[in-house]
Amino acid sequence: MTEPTENRRVYMDHQATTPVDPRVLDAMLPYFTEKFGNAASRSHAWGWEAEKAVDDARQRLAAAIGAKPREIVFTSGSTESDNLAILGVARMYRERGRHLVTCATEHKAVLDPMKSLERDGFEVTVLGVDRRGRLDLDELRAALRDDTILVSVMHANNEIGTIHPIAEIGRICKEKGVLFHTDATQTLGKEPIDVEEMGVDLLSANAHKVYGPKGVGLLYRRRRRPRVRLEPLQYGGGHEFGLRSGTLDVPGIVGFAAAVDLALAERETERARIAALRDRLQERLTSALTHVHVNGDPEARLACNLNVSFEFVEGESLLMGLEGIAVSSGSACTSASLEPSYVLHALGVGDALAHSSIRFSLGRWNTEEEVDYVAERTIEAVQRLRELSPLYEMAMEGIDLESIQWDAH
Amino acid sequence: MVYSEKVIDHYKNPRNVGSLPKDAPDVGTGVVGAPECGDVMKLQIRVEDGVIVDARFKTFGCGSAIASSSLATEWLKGRTVEEAQQIRNVDIVEELALPPVKIHCSVLAEDAIKQALADFRRKQGEGPEAAAPEAGNGEEAER
Ligand SMILES: Cc1ncc(COP(=O)(O)O)c(C=O)c1O
């Protein structure tokens, strides 16, 4: 507390959320005050102004993913978009089939609606992944049945950053005539997205992971070849083509479009810059410390993501040692549940290593100097905690921790 | 997670970190928890004339687990074996102001104390078996 360096703050949790870019905020501000109209008010200039702003944003966001404006449905975020896609398809097509396919490492916003469908008489196949978080495409192909109505596989994973081969999955689904949904929350503005090239029928994304505001997202819904029909989750004024009733969040939508425009303008240079920072961080940590495991796919990985397990050190205690630095842990103790990360579990990472994992996720304003600082603090904290760790002591004595029968609580 | 000042203090300045020779007849060792569960505590005591003259710990676990075991070593030092037996997890919860989700850390610390005491007694020929526990194998000591 006394050393000034201890109070230094560094944010490296951009896969959780990002700050709003000041340029995005500038674009939004007029829509809170002078341009506050309801986009559904057809009878006056305030309404027309708001409607025009929404149409304009819809068009830019559609273009960003290779879609048509009328295929964009604004929502409150990716959780809602995932729910609308999955529950909406299931409820609309339930007479055609009751089988859905997804992947074990999906976000809970996909897995939980799937679970609710299971309670409702649907059958869900959850595909496993390999050590890098990759699906086996043959297994996916084999999982598709005549009564399969939807496949949902995310574009990139939020914990480990593994990028799935969406275009290949899209082709497989198309061959079998099965609708395909992807959660692209982690890739919009970061990785190339084209719903045509990728053969995607439904796509979820939000603004707050791309330096836009929280509480706004979109669902892309294909209108032609095939026309995807959805049963809405909520009913009311019939906004958003009848799929999502409720007065639109005009400033949020304007901010969303502005944020994606900015991200796309600098996508390639920014991706390279962030990947270089991430590689530097990884290099620093793995060269200074032994028993460090990088989780995820070393190749098909989001540029911003670094998920590492520091063996013999528990994640939450490490976070405590990184006071002032924002990162997240796959350890149970940081979340409400007592289970360690189900994503790492699906990769076959043992629970002990899952408890030892930290996710660093880099972003727009992180610098090389910050990376060096975070690396240094992390190395210090890991070394200190290993001195405190009975597991490290045993491992150094040559005891095989696997051979011990622990007294599990 | 918001930590109490006492937890932070023990985390930053852990008391009595280290190890005692586990095979020594005057040392009792308790190892509890499991790496898969995210906590392992090793707690050791050295006893002279029925009084705990030294206590050491090493803990793999969250800040509250580290603090609970660090506090336990502080409380153990200077107590008799009988007095040590009286330490309860609720006392640790209260002293460190642990939130409900962290109560298991205090339970683990109490278990570690109990195991260390049992191990010591066994070595003194009071227990069912005189063998020292396997390194790191807390369960062994309980059998
Ligand atoms: C992959 C993924 N899907 C869904 C969500 C939920 O998004 P939102 O916060 O917009 O509901 C997130 C973010 O937490 C995410 O990373």
Side-chain angles (χ1 to χ4, degrees):
Chain A
M1 282 291 162
T2 47
E3 298 155 52
T5 52
E6 283 224 306
N7 289 324
R8 179 162 176 198
R9 283 157 56 94
V10 178
Y11 188 81
M12 276 198 194
D13 201 14
H14 293 84
Q15 285 187 273
T17 194
T18 57
V20 172
D21 188 302
R23 294 168 288 183
V24 170
L25 181 63
D26 284 344
M28 292 170 68
L29 284 175
Y31 293 91
F32 286 104
T33 48
E34 68 265 32
K35 303 181 183 181
F36 60 87
N38 185 327
S41 298
R42 296 274 154 76
S43 54
H44 51 66
W46 286 264
W48 302 332
E49 194 171 44
E51 187 187 20
K52 186 178 167 302
V54 169
D55 284 349
D56 181 51
R58 194 187 304 280
Q59 193 208 318
R60 282 149 60 204
L61 286 164
I65 60 168
K68 310 272 185 312
R70 289 173 59 81
E71 295 176 315
I72 302 297
V73 176
F74 287 114
T75 66
S76 64
S78 291
T79 301
E80 185 187 337
S81 299
D82 289 342
N83 274 269
L84 178 55
I86 294 162
L87 300 177
V89 162
R91 290 170 186 166
M92 182 57 78
Y93 294 90
R94 65 184 310 152
E95 297 313 320
R96 187 181 294 181
R98 307 254 170 123
H99 179 237
L100 301 92
V101 176
T102 189
C103 173
T105 53
E106 292 296 310
H107 195 271
K108 290 285 183 190
V110 166
L111 294 177
D112 285 358
M114 291 277 183
K115 275 200 196 118
S116 91
L117 287 173
E118 279 183 321
R119 289 191 291 270
D120 222 17
F122 287 81
E123 210 185 314
V124 178
T125 300
V126 181
L127 300 169
V129 291
D130 68 9
R131 191 67 195 210
R132 295 179 169 196
R134 296 177 303 188
L135 277 174
D136 179 339
L137 296 183
D138 289 330
E139 208 177 298
L140 167 67
R141 202 175 274 113
L144 301 182
R145 319 189 308 212
D146 291 341
D147 63 340
T148 308
I149 51 173
L150 182 72
V151 169
S152 181
V153 175
M154 70 203 320
H155 191 184
N157 184 271
N158 45 299
E159 284 191 36
I160 50 171
T162 299
I163 301 173
H164 287 299
I166 295 302
E168 285 174 60
I169 297 170
R171 258 192 302 282
I172 293 168
C173 292
K174 188 130 288 177
E175 276 166 28
K176 298 264 189 166
V178 176
L179 296 178
F180 177 33
H181 166 250
T182 190
D183 179 340
T185 307
Q186 293 289 342
T187 50
L188 179 63
K190 302 190 183 82
E191 295 291 324
I193 295 179
D194 186 307
V195 292
E196 293 305 328
E197 281 173 22
M198 291 175 157
V200 167
D201 301 308
L202 294 145
L203 177 144
S204 307
N206 69 25
H208 77 88
K209 310 273 184 185
V210 267
Y211 308 93
K214 291 165 187 58
V216 59
L218 64 80
L219 177 66
Y220 156 76
R221 187 256 326 207
R222 182 176 292 281
R223 276 189 173 259
R224 292 186 57 226
R225 284 181 292 136
R227 177 184 172 83
V228 180
R229 294 164 65 226
L230 297 172
E231 184 67 36
L233 298 177
Q234 63 195 46
Y235 301 90
H239 308 74
E240 297 299 280
F241 320 105
L243 295 176
R244 205 279 185 177
S245 288
T247 298
L248 290 174
D249 171 9
V250 180
I253 290 166
V254 166
F256 192 4
V260 170
D261 283 348
L262 285 172
L264 290 185
E266 295 157 14
R267 192 183 67 212
E268 292 310 308
T269 47
E270 185 63 359
R271 180 162 62 162
R273 187 187 75 86
I274 286 181
L277 289 181
R278 187 270 315 276
D279 293 345
R280 183 181 178 98
L281 181 58
Q282 180 173 329
E283 215 286 312
R284 296 264 151 143
L285 297 174
T286 51
S287 61
L289 296 166
T290 62
H291 299 86
V292 176
H293 309 265
V294 177
N295 299 310
D297 192 329
E299 282 129 39
R301 178 163 50 143
L302 276 179
C304 64
N305 175 277
L306 179 62
N307 188 310
V308 236
S309 293
F310 299 98
E311 222 176 327
F312 319 123
V313 172
E314 194 275 331
E316 186 186 334
S317 66
L318 183 51
L319 292 193
M320 219 174 146
L322 297 178
E323 201 187 338
I325 297 172
V327 293
S328 60
S329 168
S331 176
C333 294
T334 50
S335 62
S337 81
L338 284 174
E339 297 300 311
S341 158
Y342 68 91
V343 172
L344 293 177
H345 189 79
L347 264 61
V349 172
D351 283 352
L353 275 184
H355 278 293
S356 302
S357 75
I358 297 283
R359 179 189 70 184
F360 300 88
S361 48
L362 292 138
R364 187 169 285 171
W365 290 286
N366 285 137
T367 63
E368 200 169 270
E369 198 262 328
E370 282 179 331
V371 163
D372 292 349
Y373 170 72
V374 168
E376 192 185 315
R377 286 276 308 273
T378 307
I379 293 162
E380 273 172 24
V382 169
Q383 285 169 340
R384 190 176 94 78
L385 289 166
R386 281 184 177 169
E387 286 309 310
L388 234 66
S389 170
L391 304 180
Y392 184 67
E393 181 180 69
M394 289 175 202
M396 292 303 111
E397 286 170 4
I399 296 166
D400 176 11
L401 298 178
E402 300 286 323
S403 71
I404 294 172
Q405 201 197 333
W406 297 98
D407 129 52
H409 266 249
Chain B
M1 188 62 60
V2 179
Y3 302 96
S4 70
E5 270 178 38
K6 282 181 179 159
V7 168
I8 292 170
D9 181 45
H10 278 281
Y11 173 83
K12 288 193 173 167
N13 311 294
R15 333 285 201 256
N16 310 308
V17 176
S19 298
L20 300 171
K22 67 175 166 44
D23 295 327
D26 57 347
V27 169
T29 300
V31 180
V32 295
E36 301 77 54
C37 304
D39 329 81
V40 176
M41 279 181 196
K42 184 181 83 164
L43 200 140
Q44 295 182 299
I45 50 170
R46 185 195 290 280
V47 183
E48 262 172 38
D49 302 328
V51 176
I52 297 168
V53 293
D54 200 1
R56 299 292 170 92
F57 86 98
K58 282 205 175 188
T59 290
F60 162 84
C62 64
S64 304
I66 290 171
S68 297
S69 38
S70 170
L71 176 66
T73 60
E74 266 192 326
W75 280 358
L76 285 168
K77 279 192 182 182
R79 293 201 190 201
T80 65
V81 170
E82 284 68 35
E83 287 165 349
Q85 197 71 41
Q86 305 311 313
I87 297 175
R88 290 286 170 270
N89 84 292
V90 290
D91 306 329
I92 296 173
V93 170
E94 194 176 324
E95 173 68 14
L96 296 176
L98 296 181
V101 292
K102 296 299 184 186
I103 288 176
H104 74 276
C105 298
S106 68
V107 173
L108 217 51
E110 182 185 322
D111 289 353
I113 294 171
K114 296 254 154 70
Q115 273 203 16
L117 292 168
D119 181 45
F120 169 73
R121 287 217 193 82
R122 199 157 31 239
K123 283 182 180 172
Q124 301 301 303
E126 293 170 32
E129 214 178 287
E134 285 295 306
N137 192 339
E139 267 234 322
E140 204 68 26
E142 205 66 280
R143 288 193 195 121

